[in-house]
Amino acid sequence: MPKKLFSAIALSLISLNIVAQELSKAYTPPEVVWTTQSANSSESMPCGGHDIGLNVWVENGELLVYMSQSGWFDENNTLLKAGRLRFTFADDPFSATNFRQVLSLADGSLSVCGADLRVRIWADVFTPTIYVQATGKKSRKISMSYESWRHHDRLVSKAECQQCSYKWVIPKECTTFADSICPLKNGLKFSHINREKTVFDFTVAREGLDSVRTKLYNPLGGRIMKGHLDCGNMHFIGTTDGKYASTDFRAWTYTTTDKQATISVSLSADMPDGSEHSTDLPPAKNAKQSARRSAQWWHAFWQRSYIALDEACTNDTARMVVRNYALMRYMIGCNAFGAWPTKFNGGLFTFDPVYIRSDMPFTPDYRRWGGGTMTAQNQRLVYWPAVRTADLDILRQQLDTYLRMLPNAMLRTRCYWGHTGASFTEQIENFGLPNPAENGKPRFGSDLGVERNAWLEYLWDTS
């Protein structure tokens, strides 16, 4: 290589590096600012971290939060939400004309301000813990309710069964079973522990794999999802029943009269043997430490990949592209430490479906195309960009999912075709077998490994 050309390239690389460093130091993702309250949960704002997703909105002066965590798969493979929080404040501080709801992508937090009150919400990046901190200039009555629509068993209708793995082969009396909810003086514990018999067993039998059932990886039987709500200076005052959107719920309410209130919610989702337990850092000593260390992580996250506009740019389309790129990457980052990948069909941020279609009056747990089911051709689109954006730590969760499913894909292949390969199909379950409805009903004397589905039986390209 000629020396002059080498020198020119070297100088160019040095210049690019200097520019990159300057941009890296200067780059701050755009904020999202709302100045009016929301009509309902369809106008909620995302927030999260670690493997937590929160939908946050203010409706009729009340602050509401849907809580979700990666891995909350029930017996039917529905991806459950962890519940809903509702905050009410005396003097209706959010009715003032200075109402502001701000998503600060730079530090991963969300703030709601009005009159003399500020509420800050975030999820700790290093542990699956949610913080809500309300601070005012004067003492006022503050009430917080934990609301659950799973306070009783619920039959899942045929129309509703898109949320789980049964889809159109739903058995009679398919049920979303009730959670265990136990109020404490200054807190609350809740859990959903799966029964041993689940849609996994139904799928294995339907697909002719009973002979190897005990050798197959099963992420559903006995699965434990739980949460602990620490209400700080609030105390329990009782329960009430109500209805939001199209779903009844029970509320466990806590209250205090003070200038400040901080609550935290710790969530977990794991198998009885602890096989999915993540390597979390020690819990933060307090909310201040959590906010600081989480903000540091988000600041570093934004320097990996971004699209920056010149400050003088006034092109609205360009600004929208930059904002949407940042928002999409933020919602992926909210599940950066999840054991399970961000779902293509809403991630951790779904809401009441009745606000999309009036003929879907289902619970907040509903989502189309399943909870534990992956439409692989869509799922891959969520994670391919991670290679380009240097988010290899986030890409890991998608790759790990296939590694967990690999033994089942190999056992399935050996049973059907007698060789040591591995078959991953489209419409695949989180345990590596085809979705039982999409797989179709096996025909007498036919190849059990061939899916009976006009859209899938000749499609073999998603592995």
Side-chain angles (χ1 to χ4, degrees):
M1 179 183 291
K3 289 182 180 179
K4 290 184 178 179
L5 179 58
F6 181 86
S7 299
I9 292 173
L11 286 171
S12 297
L13 290 174
I14 291 170
S15 299
L16 286 171
N17 186 48
I18 291 171
V19 170
Q21 287 180 355
E22 289 175 350
L23 284 173
S24 177
K25 291 177 182 177
Y27 179 71
T28 300
E31 287 186 334
V32 179
V33 180
W34 293 351
T35 56
T36 58
Q37 297 186 25
S38 302
N40 51 56
S41 62
S42 71
E43 297 178 359
S44 54
M45 194 178 263
C47 185
H50 192 275
D51 61 351
I52 301 292
L54 309 172
N55 294 60
V56 183
W57 74 104
V58 176
E59 179 180 345
N60 297 323
E62 297 180 318
L63 173 64
L64 296 103
V65 182
Y66 274 132
M67 302 181 292
S68 299
Q69 182 182 32
S70 173
W72 276 56
F73 304 114
D74 78 346
E75 291 89 341
N76 307 317
N77 226 358
T78 299
L79 183 54
L80 305 175
K81 289 193 181 298
R84 180 175 58 227
L85 303 177
R86 184 189 301 260
F87 294 83
T88 59
F89 304 91
D91 305 329
D92 196 11
F94 298 140
S95 66
T97 55
N98 60 350
F99 173 85
R100 281 173 62 86
Q101 182 171 330
V102 181
L103 176 61
S104 173
L105 298 178
D107 61 14
S109 72
L110 187 154
S111 297
V112 181
C113 301
D116 67 328
L117 180 71
R118 179 176 187 248
V119 183
R120 190 166 185 267
I121 301 168
W122 73 96
D124 188 83
V125 168
F126 301 103
T127 58
T129 306
I130 301 157
Y131 289 91
V132 182
Q133 191 170 55
T135 306
K137 295 180 180 179
K138 63 180 182 181
S139 292
R140 59 161 48 87
K141 184 178 180 181
I142 304 172
S143 298
M144 186 280 302
S145 298
Y146 171 79
E147 298 178 351
S148 176
W149 48 95
R150 294 195 303 273
H151 60 99
H152 61 81
D153 291 352
R154 289 183 181 274
L155 289 177
V156 181
S157 68
K158 188 173 183 179
E160 196 174 9
C161 224
Q162 277 282 343
Q163 71 185 30
C164 67
S165 295
Y166 288 113
K167 293 189 176 178
W168 51 85
V169 294
I170 177 175
K172 290 183 179 180
E173 298 186 354
C174 179
T175 302
T176 299
F177 295 106
D179 293 355
S180 172
I181 303 172
C182 179
L184 309 171
K185 182 180 179 181
N186 300 102
L188 179 139
K189 292 183 177 181
F190 53 96
S191 63
H192 187 102
I193 302 176
N194 286 353
R195 289 154 175 75
E196 289 301 323
K197 190 172 183 180
T198 70
V199 70
F200 165 84
D201 304 278
F202 174 88
T203 303
V204 169
R206 183 178 174 85
E207 297 176 9
L209 296 170
D210 269 330
S211 62
V212 294
R213 184 179 60 82
T214 57
K215 298 179 181 179
L216 291 168
Y217 163 63
N218 177 2
L220 301 182
R223 187 172 192 79
I224 303 168
M225 293 84 77
K226 59 185 179 181
H228 180 207
L229 173 60
D230 184 342
C231 297
N233 58 342
M234 293 184 165
H235 62 276
F236 180 61
I237 61 172
T239 62
T240 55
D241 290 343
K243 186 175 184 179
Y244 183 79
S246 51
T247 306
D248 65 276
F249 66 85
R250 180 158 295 162
W252 286 258
T253 301
Y254 298 76
T255 188
T256 188
T257 300
D258 207 333
K259 291 182 179 180
Q260 180 173 317
T262 300
I263 71 105
S264 63
V265 187
S266 300
L267 300 177
S268 66
D270 203 356
M271 293 302 292
D273 61 2
S275 57
E276 289 180 23
H277 183 70
S278 57
T279 54
D280 300 329
L281 289 177
K285 294 179 181 179
N286 49 49
K288 184 177 180 180
Q289 184 190 55
S290 170
R292 183 175 64 250
R293 70 182 188 178
S294 297
Q296 289 172 347
W297 185 89
W298 281 111
H299 288 314
F301 175 79
W302 291 115
Q303 308 316 314
R304 293 187 198 173
S305 176
Y306 54 86
I307 303 172
L309 286 177
D310 188 288
E311 291 183 3
C313 177
T314 58
N315 186 298
D316 290 340
T317 300
R319 289 190 171 279
M320 182 176 67
V321 168
V322 169
R323 184 201 65 177
N324 289 355
Y325 175 79
L327 284 170
M328 183 63 189
R329 195 155 173 270
Y330 172 69
M331 290 189 286
I332 300 296
C334 288
N335 189 34
F337 294 96
W340 294 91
T342 298
K343 288 296 304 291
F344 71 93
N345 51 345
L348 295 170
F349 301 103
T350 56
F351 53 84
D352 304 82
V354 73
Y355 293 125
I356 297 298
R357 284 177 45 177
S358 60
D359 62 342
M360 296 196 302
F362 309 139
T363 77
D365 294 327
Y366 179 83
R367 71 176 66 217
R368 296 195 71 182
W369 305 112
T373 307
M374 292 198 304
T375 302
Q377 60 182 311
N378 295 338
Q379 189 64 34
R380 61 190 175 183
L381 298 177
V382 179
Y383 281 90
W384 271 345
V387 178
R388 181 65 181 86
T389 58
D391 294 325
L392 300 184
D393 51 347
I394 294 176
L395 178 63
R396 169 192 54 77
Q397 59 196 203
Q398 175 77 0
L399 303 181
D400 284 351
T401 297
Y402 274 88
L403 287 175
R404 284 194 296 264
M405 297 190 300
L406 179 61
N408 285 11
M410 294 180 69
L411 269 172
R412 174 179 182 271
T413 302
R414 180 174 289 279
C415 284
Y416 291 157
W417 302 297
H419 65 80
T420 56
S423 171
F424 292 105
T425 68
E426 180 58 281
Q427 294 300 86
I428 195 169
E429 293 300 298
N430 50 10
F431 43 85
L433 303 181
N435 174 265
E438 300 278 2
N439 187 67
K441 189 175 181 179
R443 301 167 189 163
F444 180 76
S446 66
D447 184 342
L448 286 174
V450 176
E451 295 181 274
R452 302 301 172 186
N453 182 307
W455 291 270
L456 303 178
E457 58 189 281
Y458 302 115
L459 182 66
W460 295 86
D461 68 347
T462 59
S463 58

